[in-house]
Amino acid sequence: MQPQPSVATSRKPHCDSCDAVCCRLLVVVEASDSIPAHLTHRTREGWTIMARDEEGWCVAIDPATMRCSIYETRPDTCRRFVMAGPYCCDIHDSYREQRRRGIPITMY
């Protein structure tokens, strides 16, 4: 008899069916990243981060496709974010629960 998958493993997020939740997280731009200055923002603390629009989305997201417009040159922080990894799953689960409960989404 095969064990049944848990809810967590049967509902792992996948980029093709996700609301791009990770694209609302704070992304620190490192000196080695080649990100155009108009896509970045400098914080009061002196960090360079990916800029966000009025709704909190990374400005590199193409709103028509919900895909990264600089995917090939995206920041190293984004490259290290593992789809369906533990952090991705935690962020996705929290987002899904907030939406289910009607809580406004603020992820930055």
Side-chain angles (χ1 to χ4, degrees), residues 11-36:
R11 294 172 46 181
K12 282 194 175 195
H14 190 277
C15 293
D16 289 340
S17 59
C18 182
D19 290 339
V21 178
C22 58
C23 298
R24 293 178 62 95
L25 300 174
L26 179 95
V27 174
V28 176
V29 176
E30 299 174 20
S32 59
D33 292 325
S34 297
I35 307 301

Side-chain angles (χ1 to χ4, degrees), residues 29-71:
V29 176
E30 299 174 20
S32 59
D33 292 325
S34 297
I35 307 301
H38 72 278
L39 297 177
T40 65
H41 171 75
R42 189 98 169 149
T43 68
R44 285 190 309 264
E45 298 79 17
W47 296 2
T48 301
I49 62 171
M50 288 300 295
R52 290 192 230 132
D53 67 15
E54 307 80 42
E55 296 177 357
W57 293 100
C58 175
V59 296
I61 289 291
D62 177 347
T65 63
M66 291 307 287
R67 304 248 183 220
C68 181
S69 64
I70 61 167
Y71 187 81

Side-chain angles (χ1 to χ4, degrees), residues 73-91:
T73 59
R74 69 194 184 279
D76 191 52
T77 300
C78 298
R79 291 175 185 278
R80 290 190 316 256
F81 191 87
V82 179
M83 179 184 68
Y87 185 52
C88 174
C89 289
D90 287 348
I91 295 296

